Amino acid sequence: MKALFYLIAFIAGASLSIEGAIGGTLGRNIGQIETTFYMFMIGFMTLTIITMFFGKGNLSQTFKVPKWKLLGGTLGSFYNLMLVISVPIIGVGISVIAALFGQIVMGALIEHRGWLGSSTIKFNKNKGIAIILLAISLYLVY
């Protein structure tokens, strides 16, 4: 069963590369900030329809959670904007590897410390080796 979730995560990562490539080229035509706005507006409309038909949560709870938990949308927009800016300059591959490197380093730190309500998963030798190997791949691709 876990293999299905690895596949889903892989597909999510692949879609981010496609999104980065599309956003990078669209940014040249309509502007970088405008591209990010457009992409999030289309995403908003898509998720609105999906939520209407399949949503099972309670959006009214949004007003009751700690405000820092609402930063996800802002961080997602920032991530997307940074890809739109970096892809035309350094390419899809290196942009995605650099973003992945940042995700892994921050993910390991968040898990190690149990920050932001996450489960505590201690940093170990394997994670350290993986981070070093990813840094080497970033260097080699660059």
Side-chain angles (χ1 to χ4, degrees):
M1 185 65 176
K2 268 189 170 181
L4 174 63
F5 293 100
Y6 286 120
L7 178 62
I8 290 169
F10 175 82
I11 292 168
S15 71
L16 284 176
S17 293
I18 295 167
E19 178 188 34
I22 291 169
T25 57
L26 183 60
R28 289 188 217 138
N29 300 114
I30 68 172
Q32 297 165 332
I33 295 172
E34 294 78 4
T35 294
T36 304
F37 171 78
Y38 171 79
M39 294 173 102
F40 272 83
M41 185 56 70
I42 296 299
F44 170 77
M45 290 187 289
T46 303
L47 284 173
T48 297
I49 293 167
I50 291 170
T51 302
M52 287 172 35
F53 290 101
F54 302 106
K56 299 200 184 331
N58 184 353
L59 284 174
S60 68
Q61 293 300 309
T62 303
F63 302 104
K64 297 177 183 175
V65 299
K67 299 306 176 225
W68 66 266
K69 289 187 175 184
L70 303 177
L71 285 174
T74 301
L75 294 170
S77 297
F78 178 76
Y79 170 83
N80 193 288
L81 178 60
M82 294 301 102
L83 276 183
V84 168
I85 291 170
S86 66
V87 164
I89 297 167
I90 61 175
V92 176
I94 195 74
S95 293
V96 170
I97 291 172
L100 180 62
F101 184 66
Q103 289 174 9
I104 289 175
V105 169
M106 185 53 69
L109 184 60
I110 289 169
E111 286 179 345
H112 181 73
R113 297 285 185 194
W115 289 343
L116 307 173
S118 71
S119 301
T120 301
I121 302 172
K122 293 298 179 189
F123 191 83
N124 61 35
K125 181 175 69 171
N126 288 344
K127 283 185 185 181
I129 292 169
I131 289 170
I132 290 168
L133 289 173
L134 190 56
I136 291 169
S137 73
L138 184 60
Y139 174 77
L140 291 174
V141 171
Y142 176 72

